[in-house]
Amino acid sequence: MAYKKTDKLIKYNNQFNKDNYDRISLMIPKGKKEVIQLCAKVDGESVNGFINRLIDAEIDRMVASGIIEVGADNTGTATADTTPGGGSENL
């Protein structure tokens, strides 16, 4: 009986994650993973939380500098000539 409840919970969680999150695969040089894990641990965060916090800080910096604009739906637009070949780019 407990197995069926666990199975349903796993299916629910997997569907929730699929519906609400995007997944990015990240390749880094050998050995860097351990450094990232250590930094996250020192900051009291998960690796995912640590990486997301750093990404959010960089996005905030770029928005504040006027380099990009981010809409309420999390889509972005480059506002400066930052694309190869010039012009702005919608993401």
Side-chain angles (χ1 to χ4, degrees):
M1 182 92 166
Y3 176 78
K4 288 184 179 181
K5 287 184 182 179
T6 302
D7 188 45
K8 285 182 180 182
L9 182 59
I10 290 170
K11 285 180 182 179
Y12 171 81
N13 285 337
N14 288 343
Q15 188 62 47
F16 179 87
N17 289 337
K18 183 179 177 183
D19 293 343
N20 293 284
Y21 296 100
D22 289 324
R23 182 172 285 280
I24 296 175
S25 177
L26 178 67
M27 295 179 67
I28 56 175
K30 274 283 197 206
K32 197 170 220 176
K33 178 181 173 183
E34 289 76 19
V35 175
I36 293 168
Q37 289 172 325
L38 176 63
C39 291
K41 183 178 180 181
V42 167
D43 280 351
E45 297 176 284
S46 66
V47 169
N48 190 64
F50 177 75
I51 292 170
N52 271 298
R53 181 175 54 80
L54 295 177
I55 291 169
D56 288 343
E58 182 62 12
I59 290 170
D60 290 347
R61 182 194 69 78
M62 293 178 95
V63 168
S65 297
I67 297 169
I68 64 168
E69 294 176 353
V70 178
D73 60 354
N74 285 325
T75 58
T77 302
T79 56
D81 187 6
T82 58
T83 58
S88 64
E89 180 179 350
N90 292 327
L91 304 175

PDB file of all heavy atoms in Angstrom, residues 44-79:
ATOM      1  N   GLY A  44      25.518  27.564   2.758  1.00  0.00           N
ATOM      2  CA  GLY A  44      24.316  26.930   3.304  1.00  0.00           C
ATOM      3  C   GLY A  44      23.240  26.697   2.261  1.00  0.00           C
ATOM      4  O   GLY A  44      22.047  26.746   2.578  1.00  0.00           O
ATOM      5  N   GLU A  45      23.650  26.445   1.020  1.00  0.00           N
ATOM      6  CA  GLU A  45      22.701  26.273  -0.080  1.00  0.00           C
ATOM      7  C   GLU A  45      22.923  24.927  -0.757  1.00  0.00           C
ATOM      8  O   GLU A  45      23.976  24.319  -0.637  1.00  0.00           O
ATOM      9  CB  GLU A  45      22.915  27.348  -1.151  1.00  0.00           C
ATOM     10  CG  GLU A  45      22.677  28.760  -0.687  1.00  0.00           C
ATOM     11  CD  GLU A  45      23.005  29.762  -1.765  1.00  0.00           C
ATOM     12  OE1 GLU A  45      24.190  30.024  -2.006  1.00  0.00           O
ATOM     13  OE2 GLU A  45      22.055  30.283  -2.373  1.00  0.00           O
ATOM     14  N   SER A  46      21.929  24.524  -1.536  1.00  0.00           N
ATOM     15  CA  SER A  46      22.127  23.401  -2.439  1.00  0.00           C
ATOM     16  C   SER A  46      22.929  23.912  -3.637  1.00  0.00           C
ATOM     17  O   SER A  46      23.033  25.129  -3.863  1.00  0.00           O
ATOM     18  CB  SER A  46      20.774  22.866  -2.923  1.00  0.00           C
ATOM     19  OG  SER A  46      20.124  23.838  -3.730  1.00  0.00           O
ATOM     20  N   VAL A  47      23.494  23.005  -4.402  1.00  0.00           N
ATOM     21  CA  VAL A  47      24.210  23.404  -5.608  1.00  0.00           C
ATOM     22  C   VAL A  47      23.249  24.130  -6.553  1.00  0.00           C
ATOM     23  O   VAL A  47      23.591  25.169  -7.124  1.00  0.00           O
ATOM     24  CB  VAL A  47      24.867  22.184  -6.297  1.00  0.00           C
ATOM     25  CG1 VAL A  47      25.379  22.543  -7.685  1.00  0.00           C
ATOM     26  CG2 VAL A  47      26.000  21.632  -5.440  1.00  0.00           C
ATOM     27  N   ASN A  48      22.046  23.602  -6.716  1.00  0.00           N
ATOM     28  CA  ASN A  48      21.052  24.237  -7.577  1.00  0.00           C
ATOM     29  C   ASN A  48      20.734  25.652  -7.089  1.00  0.00           C
ATOM     30  O   ASN A  48      20.695  26.600  -7.881  1.00  0.00           O
ATOM     31  CB  ASN A  48      19.778  23.385  -7.627  1.00  0.00           C
ATOM     32  CG  ASN A  48      18.809  23.858  -8.683  1.00  0.00           C
ATOM     33  OD1 ASN A  48      19.124  23.810  -9.856  1.00  0.00           O
ATOM     34  ND2 ASN A  48      17.648  24.320  -8.251  1.00  0.00           N
ATOM     35  N   GLY A  49      20.518  25.818  -5.792  1.00  0.00           N
ATOM     36  CA  GLY A  49      20.230  27.135  -5.239  1.00  0.00           C
ATOM     37  C   GLY A  49      21.383  28.097  -5.423  1.00  0.00           C
ATOM     38  O   GLY A  49      21.194  29.276  -5.747  1.00  0.00           O
ATOM     39  N   PHE A  50      22.602  27.602  -5.232  1.00  0.00           N
ATOM     40  CA  PHE A  50      23.810  28.413  -5.394  1.00  0.00           C
ATOM     41  C   PHE A  50      23.927  28.916  -6.836  1.00  0.00           C
ATOM     42  O   PHE A  50      24.111  30.111  -7.073  1.00  0.00           O
ATOM     43  CB  PHE A  50      25.033  27.570  -5.018  1.00  0.00           C
ATOM     44  CG  PHE A  50      26.350  28.259  -5.198  1.00  0.00           C
ATOM     45  CD1 PHE A  50      26.781  29.236  -4.316  1.00  0.00           C
ATOM     46  CD2 PHE A  50      27.185  27.911  -6.247  1.00  0.00           C
ATOM     47  CE1 PHE A  50      28.008  29.865  -4.484  1.00  0.00           C
ATOM     48  CE2 PHE A  50      28.413  28.518  -6.423  1.00  0.00           C
ATOM     49  CZ  PHE A  50      28.825  29.503  -5.536  1.00  0.00           C
ATOM     50  N   ILE A  51      23.801  28.013  -7.797  1.00  0.00           N
ATOM     51  CA  ILE A  51      23.913  28.387  -9.207  1.00  0.00           C
ATOM     52  C   ILE A  51      22.789  29.343  -9.598  1.00  0.00           C
ATOM     53  O   ILE A  51      23.020  30.352 -10.276  1.00  0.00           O
ATOM     54  CB  ILE A  51      23.931  27.134 -10.106  1.00  0.00           C
ATOM     55  CG1 ILE A  51      25.234  26.359  -9.870  1.00  0.00           C
ATOM     56  CG2 ILE A  51      23.759  27.502 -11.570  1.00  0.00           C
ATOM     57  CD1 ILE A  51      25.277  24.986 -10.515  1.00  0.00           C
ATOM     58  N   ASN A  52      21.562  29.074  -9.164  1.00  0.00           N
ATOM     59  CA  ASN A  52      20.439  29.966  -9.473  1.00  0.00           C
ATOM     60  C   ASN A  52      20.647  31.356  -8.893  1.00  0.00           C
ATOM     61  O   ASN A  52      20.333  32.362  -9.548  1.00  0.00           O
ATOM     62  CB  ASN A  52      19.119  29.373  -8.978  1.00  0.00           C
ATOM     63  CG  ASN A  52      18.465  28.499 -10.013  1.00  0.00           C
ATOM     64  OD1 ASN A  52      18.108  28.972 -11.077  1.00  0.00           O
ATOM     65  ND2 ASN A  52      18.314  27.227  -9.705  1.00  0.00           N
ATOM     66  N   ARG A  53      21.191  31.441  -7.681  1.00  0.00           N
ATOM     67  CA  ARG A  53      21.433  32.750  -7.056  1.00  0.00           C
ATOM     68  C   ARG A  53      22.454  33.538  -7.865  1.00  0.00           C
ATOM     69  O   ARG A  53      22.275  34.747  -8.114  1.00  0.00           O
ATOM     70  CB  ARG A  53      21.909  32.577  -5.612  1.00  0.00           C
ATOM     71  CG  ARG A  53      22.159  33.916  -4.902  1.00  0.00           C
ATOM     72  CD  ARG A  53      22.502  33.724  -3.436  1.00  0.00           C
ATOM     73  NE  ARG A  53      23.605  32.828  -3.202  1.00  0.00           N
ATOM     74  CZ  ARG A  53      24.901  33.164  -3.313  1.00  0.00           C
ATOM     75  NH1 ARG A  53      25.239  34.379  -3.704  1.00  0.00           N
ATOM     76  NH2 ARG A  53      25.855  32.286  -3.049  1.00  0.00           N
ATOM     77  N   LEU A  54      23.506  32.875  -8.318  1.00  0.00           N
ATOM     78  CA  LEU A  54      24.521  33.566  -9.119  1.00  0.00           C
ATOM     79  C   LEU A  54      23.956  34.015 -10.466  1.00  0.00           C
ATOM     80  O   LEU A  54      24.245  35.130 -10.927  1.00  0.00           O
ATOM     81  CB  LEU A  54      25.731  32.654  -9.327  1.00  0.00           C
ATOM     82  CG  LEU A  54      26.502  32.295  -8.060  1.00  0.00           C
ATOM     83  CD1 LEU A  54      27.633  31.328  -8.389  1.00  0.00           C
ATOM     84  CD2 LEU A  54      27.029  33.529  -7.359  1.00  0.00           C
ATOM     85  N   ILE A  55      23.153  33.169 -11.082  1.00  0.00           N
ATOM     86  CA  ILE A  55      22.525  33.541 -12.354  1.00  0.00           C
ATOM     87  C   ILE A  55      21.588  34.731 -12.152  1.00  0.00           C
ATOM     88  O   ILE A  55      21.606  35.693 -12.932  1.00  0.00           O
ATOM     89  CB  ILE A  55      21.775  32.338 -12.964  1.00  0.00           C
ATOM     90  CG1 ILE A  55      22.781  31.278 -13.427  1.00  0.00           C
ATOM     91  CG2 ILE A  55      20.865  32.790 -14.107  1.00  0.00           C
ATOM     92  CD1 ILE A  55      22.147  29.950 -13.800  1.00  0.00           C
ATOM     93  N   ASP A  56      20.780  34.700 -11.091  1.00  0.00           N
ATOM     94  CA  ASP A  56      19.857  35.808 -10.811  1.00  0.00           C
ATOM     95  C   ASP A  56      20.609  37.118 -10.581  1.00  0.00           C
ATOM     96  O   ASP A  56      20.177  38.180 -11.048  1.00  0.00           O
ATOM     97  CB  ASP A  56      18.978  35.488  -9.604  1.00  0.00           C
ATOM     98  CG  ASP A  56      17.919  34.440  -9.894  1.00  0.00           C
ATOM     99  OD1 ASP A  56      17.640  34.174 -11.089  1.00  0.00           O
ATOM    100  OD2 ASP A  56      17.364  33.884  -8.921  1.00  0.00           O
ATOM    101  N   ALA A  57      21.752  37.045  -9.885  1.00  0.00           N
ATOM    102  CA  ALA A  57      22.544  38.244  -9.634  1.00  0.00           C
ATOM    103  C   ALA A  57      23.070  38.829 -10.947  1.00  0.00           C
ATOM    104  O   ALA A  57      23.061  40.053 -11.147  1.00  0.00           O
ATOM    105  CB  ALA A  57      23.700  37.930  -8.682  1.00  0.00           C
ATOM    106  N   GLU A  58      23.505  37.969 -11.862  1.00  0.00           N
ATOM    107  CA  GLU A  58      24.010  38.448 -13.155  1.00  0.00           C
ATOM    108  C   GLU A  58      22.878  39.016 -14.004  1.00  0.00           C
ATOM    109  O   GLU A  58      23.041  40.053 -14.659  1.00  0.00           O
ATOM    110  CB  GLU A  58      24.731  37.324 -13.896  1.00  0.00           C
ATOM    111  CG  GLU A  58      25.335  37.735 -15.213  1.00  0.00           C
ATOM    112  CD  GLU A  58      26.424  38.801 -15.119  1.00  0.00           C
ATOM    113  OE1 GLU A  58      26.900  39.102 -14.008  1.00  0.00           O
ATOM    114  OE2 GLU A  58      26.781  39.356 -16.182  1.00  0.00           O
ATOM    115  N   ILE A  59      21.732  38.375 -13.980  1.00  0.00           N
ATOM    116  CA  ILE A  59      20.576  38.909 -14.712  1.00  0.00           C
ATOM    117  C   ILE A  59      20.189  40.274 -14.143  1.00  0.00           C
ATOM    118  O   ILE A  59      19.955  41.230 -14.901  1.00  0.00           O
ATOM    119  CB  ILE A  59      19.385  37.931 -14.665  1.00  0.00           C
ATOM    120  CG1 ILE A  59      19.701  36.689 -15.508  1.00  0.00           C
ATOM    121  CG2 ILE A  59      18.094  38.605 -15.134  1.00  0.00           C
ATOM    122  CD1 ILE A  59      18.699  35.558 -15.345  1.00  0.00           C
ATOM    123  N   ASP A  60      20.123  40.395 -12.825  1.00  0.00           N
ATOM    124  CA  ASP A  60      19.797  41.684 -12.188  1.00  0.00           C
ATOM    125  C   ASP A  60      20.801  42.766 -12.593  1.00  0.00           C
ATOM    126  O   ASP A  60      20.421  43.905 -12.858  1.00  0.00           O
ATOM    127  CB  ASP A  60      19.768  41.547 -10.663  1.00  0.00           C
ATOM    128  CG  ASP A  60      18.595  40.741 -10.161  1.00  0.00           C
ATOM    129  OD1 ASP A  60      17.648  40.477 -10.937  1.00  0.00           O
ATOM    130  OD2 ASP A  60      18.637  40.343  -8.971  1.00  0.00           O
ATOM    131  N   ARG A  61      22.084  42.415 -12.650  1.00  0.00           N
ATOM    132  CA  ARG A  61      23.125  43.370 -13.041  1.00  0.00           C
ATOM    133  C   ARG A  61      22.903  43.827 -14.486  1.00  0.00           C
ATOM    134  O   ARG A  61      22.984  45.028 -14.786  1.00  0.00           O
ATOM    135  CB  ARG A  61      24.512  42.741 -12.908  1.00  0.00           C
ATOM    136  CG  ARG A  61      25.648  43.705 -13.244  1.00  0.00           C
ATOM    137  CD  ARG A  61      26.974  42.996 -13.433  1.00  0.00           C
ATOM    138  NE  ARG A  61      27.010  42.179 -14.640  1.00  0.00           N
ATOM    139  CZ  ARG A  61      27.192  42.652 -15.891  1.00  0.00           C
ATOM    140  NH1 ARG A  61      27.305  43.947 -16.095  1.00  0.00           N
ATOM    141  NH2 ARG A  61      27.237  41.827 -16.921  1.00  0.00           N
ATOM    142  N   MET A  62      22.589  42.884 -15.367  1.00  0.00           N
ATOM    143  CA  MET A  62      22.390  43.229 -16.774  1.00  0.00           C
ATOM    144  C   MET A  62      21.131  44.067 -16.973  1.00  0.00           C
ATOM    145  O   MET A  62      21.119  44.982 -17.804  1.00  0.00           O
ATOM    146  CB  MET A  62      22.353  41.959 -17.628  1.00  0.00           C
ATOM    147  CG  MET A  62      23.695  41.243 -17.668  1.00  0.00           C
ATOM    148  SD  MET A  62      23.634  39.731 -18.625  1.00  0.00           S
ATOM    149  CE  MET A  62      24.195  40.352 -20.198  1.00  0.00           C
ATOM    150  N   VAL A  63      20.079  43.786 -16.219  1.00  0.00           N
ATOM    151  CA  VAL A  63      18.858  44.590 -16.283  1.00  0.00           C
ATOM    152  C   VAL A  63      19.139  45.997 -15.767  1.00  0.00           C
ATOM    153  O   VAL A  63      18.768  46.993 -16.404  1.00  0.00           O
ATOM    154  CB  VAL A  63      17.707  43.922 -15.494  1.00  0.00           C
ATOM    155  CG1 VAL A  63      16.535  44.874 -15.318  1.00  0.00           C
ATOM    156  CG2 VAL A  63      17.255  42.638 -16.190  1.00  0.00           C
ATOM    157  N   ALA A  64      19.818  46.092 -14.619  1.00  0.00           N
ATOM    158  CA  ALA A  64      20.120  47.401 -14.037  1.00  0.00           C
ATOM    159  C   ALA A  64      21.016  48.234 -14.951  1.00  0.00           C
ATOM    160  O   ALA A  64      20.905  49.464 -14.989  1.00  0.00           O
ATOM    161  CB  ALA A  64      20.789  47.229 -12.669  1.00  0.00           C
ATOM    162  N   SER A  65      21.885  47.577 -15.716  1.00  0.00           N
ATOM    163  CA  SER A  65      22.777  48.279 -16.643  1.00  0.00           C
ATOM    164  C   SER A  65      22.092  48.618 -17.956  1.00  0.00           C
ATOM    165  O   SER A  65      22.684  49.283 -18.806  1.00  0.00           O
ATOM    166  CB  SER A  65      24.007  47.410 -16.937  1.00  0.00           C
ATOM    167  OG  SER A  65      24.745  47.184 -15.768  1.00  0.00           O
ATOM    168  N   GLY A  66      20.872  48.145 -18.152  1.00  0.00           N
ATOM    169  CA  GLY A  66      20.149  48.414 -19.386  1.00  0.00           C
ATOM    170  C   GLY A  66      20.581  47.538 -20.546  1.00  0.00           C
ATOM    171  O   GLY A  66      20.237  47.805 -21.689  1.00  0.00           O
ATOM    172  N   ILE A  67      21.328  46.479 -20.268  1.00  0.00           N
ATOM    173  CA  ILE A  67      21.796  45.585 -21.325  1.00  0.00           C
ATOM    174  C   ILE A  67      20.665  44.702 -21.827  1.00  0.00           C
ATOM    175  O   ILE A  67      20.567  44.426 -23.016  1.00  0.00           O
ATOM    176  CB  ILE A  67      22.976  44.721 -20.824  1.00  0.00           C
ATOM    177  CG1 ILE A  67      24.153  45.628 -20.471  1.00  0.00           C
ATOM    178  CG2 ILE A  67      23.375  43.667 -21.848  1.00  0.00           C
ATOM    179  CD1 ILE A  67      25.273  44.924 -19.733  1.00  0.00           C
ATOM    180  N   ILE A  68      19.818  44.264 -20.905  1.00  0.00           N
ATOM    181  CA  ILE A  68      18.677  43.425 -21.276  1.00  0.00           C
ATOM    182  C   ILE A  68      17.431  43.914 -20.552  1.00  0.00           C
ATOM    183  O   ILE A  68      17.517  44.626 -19.554  1.00  0.00           O
ATOM    184  CB  ILE A  68      18.902  41.924 -20.938  1.00  0.00           C
ATOM    185  CG1 ILE A  68      19.039  41.716 -19.430  1.00  0.00           C
ATOM    186  CG2 ILE A  68      20.089  41.363 -21.692  1.00  0.00           C
ATOM    187  CD1 ILE A  68      18.973  40.256 -18.996  1.00  0.00           C
ATOM    188  N   GLU A  69      16.298  43.529 -21.073  1.00  0.00           N
ATOM    189  CA  GLU A  69      15.012  43.722 -20.403  1.00  0.00           C
ATOM    190  C   GLU A  69      14.399  42.343 -20.235  1.00  0.00           C
ATOM    191  O   GLU A  69      14.483  41.508 -21.129  1.00  0.00           O
ATOM    192  CB  GLU A  69      14.088  44.601 -21.238  1.00  0.00           C
ATOM    193  CG  GLU A  69      14.569  46.030 -21.379  1.00  0.00           C
ATOM    194  CD  GLU A  69      13.687  46.856 -22.301  1.00  0.00           C
ATOM    195  OE1 GLU A  69      12.768  46.286 -22.940  1.00  0.00           O
ATOM    196  OE2 GLU A  69      13.935  48.064 -22.413  1.00  0.00           O
ATOM    197  N   VAL A  70      13.786  42.118 -19.083  1.00  0.00           N
ATOM    198  CA  VAL A  70      13.147  40.831 -18.815  1.00  0.00           C
ATOM    199  C   VAL A  70      11.680  41.091 -18.514  1.00  0.00           C
ATOM    200  O   VAL A  70      11.351  41.875 -17.630  1.00  0.00           O
ATOM    201  CB  VAL A  70      13.823  40.098 -17.634  1.00  0.00           C
ATOM    202  CG1 VAL A  70      13.107  38.794 -17.337  1.00  0.00           C
ATOM    203  CG2 VAL A  70      15.292  39.852 -17.924  1.00  0.00           C
ATOM    204  N   GLY A  71      10.808  40.430 -19.279  1.00  0.00           N
ATOM    205  CA  GLY A  71       9.380  40.602 -19.100  1.00  0.00           C
ATOM    206  C   GLY A  71       8.857  39.795 -17.934  1.00  0.00           C
ATOM    207  O   GLY A  71       9.548  38.960 -17.356  1.00  0.00           O
ATOM    208  N   ALA A  72       7.612  40.017 -17.596  1.00  0.00           N
ATOM    209  CA  ALA A  72       6.963  39.301 -16.500  1.00  0.00           C
ATOM    210  C   ALA A  72       6.908  37.804 -16.760  1.00  0.00           C
ATOM    211  O   ALA A  72       6.866  37.003 -15.835  1.00  0.00           O
ATOM    212  CB  ALA A  72       5.555  39.844 -16.273  1.00  0.00           C
ATOM    213  N   ASP A  73       6.942  37.422 -18.038  1.00  0.00           N
ATOM    214  CA  ASP A  73       6.905  35.996 -18.387  1.00  0.00           C
ATOM    215  C   ASP A  73       8.301  35.387 -18.477  1.00  0.00           C
ATOM    216  O   ASP A  73       8.470  34.284 -18.970  1.00  0.00           O
ATOM    217  CB  ASP A  73       6.159  35.799 -19.703  1.00  0.00           C
ATOM    218  CG  ASP A  73       6.809  36.546 -20.860  1.00  0.00           C
ATOM    219  OD1 ASP A  73       7.774  37.307 -20.636  1.00  0.00           O
ATOM    220  OD2 ASP A  73       6.353  36.361 -21.997  1.00  0.00           O
ATOM    221  N   ASN A  74       9.308  36.115 -18.001  1.00  0.00           N
ATOM    222  CA  ASN A  74      10.707  35.684 -17.984  1.00  0.00           C
ATOM    223  C   ASN A  74      11.341  35.573 -19.360  1.00  0.00           C
ATOM    224  O   ASN A  74      12.375  34.939 -19.508  1.00  0.00           O
ATOM    225  CB  ASN A  74      10.895  34.371 -17.210  1.00  0.00           C
ATOM    226  CG  ASN A  74      10.818  34.584 -15.722  1.00  0.00           C
ATOM    227  OD1 ASN A  74      11.253  35.614 -15.216  1.00  0.00           O
ATOM    228  ND2 ASN A  74      10.252  33.642 -15.020  1.00  0.00           N
ATOM    229  N   THR A  75      10.741  36.195 -20.381  1.00  0.00           N
ATOM    230  CA  THR A  75      11.417  36.265 -21.666  1.00  0.00           C
ATOM    231  C   THR A  75      12.282  37.511 -21.673  1.00  0.00           C
ATOM    232  O   THR A  75      11.966  38.499 -21.020  1.00  0.00           O
ATOM    233  CB  THR A  75      10.427  36.307 -22.846  1.00  0.00           C
ATOM    234  OG1 THR A  75       9.573  37.441 -22.679  1.00  0.00           O
ATOM    235  CG2 THR A  75       9.609  35.030 -22.918  1.00  0.00           C
ATOM    236  N   GLY A  76      13.369  37.457 -22.396  1.00  0.00           N
ATOM    237  CA  GLY A  76      14.303  38.567 -22.386  1.00  0.00           C
ATOM    238  C   GLY A  76      14.508  39.177 -23.749  1.00  0.00           C
ATOM    239  O   GLY A  76      14.324  38.535 -24.770  1.00  0.00           O
ATOM    240  N   THR A  77      14.919  40.436 -23.735  1.00  0.00           N
ATOM    241  CA  THR A  77      15.272  41.156 -24.949  1.00  0.00           C
ATOM    242  C   THR A  77      16.574  41.889 -24.692  1.00  0.00           C
ATOM    243  O   THR A  77      16.711  42.588 -23.680  1.00  0.00           O
ATOM    244  CB  THR A  77      14.184  42.196 -25.310  1.00  0.00           C
ATOM    245  OG1 THR A  77      12.938  41.522 -25.461  1.00  0.00           O
ATOM    246  CG2 THR A  77      14.526  42.920 -26.591  1.00  0.00           C
ATOM    247  N   ALA A  78      17.540  41.714 -25.590  1.00  0.00           N
ATOM    248  CA  ALA A  78      18.777  42.477 -25.501  1.00  0.00           C
ATOM    249  C   ALA A  78      18.474  43.891 -25.972  1.00  0.00           C
ATOM    250  O   ALA A  78      17.903  44.086 -27.033  1.00  0.00           O
ATOM    251  CB  ALA A  78      19.857  41.842 -26.358  1.00  0.00           C
ATOM    252  N   THR A  79      18.852  44.878 -25.177  1.00  0.00           N
ATOM    253  CA  THR A  79      18.537  46.258 -25.521  1.00  0.00           C
ATOM    254  C   THR A  79      19.716  46.971 -26.144  1.00  0.00           C
ATOM    255  O   THR A  79      19.560  48.012 -26.744  1.00  0.00           O
ATOM    256  CB  THR A  79      18.084  47.043 -24.272  1.00  0.00           C
ATOM    257  OG1 THR A  79      19.115  46.955 -23.282  1.00  0.00           O
ATOM    258  CG2 THR A  79      16.791  46.469 -23.721  1.00  0.00           C
TER     259      THR A  79
END
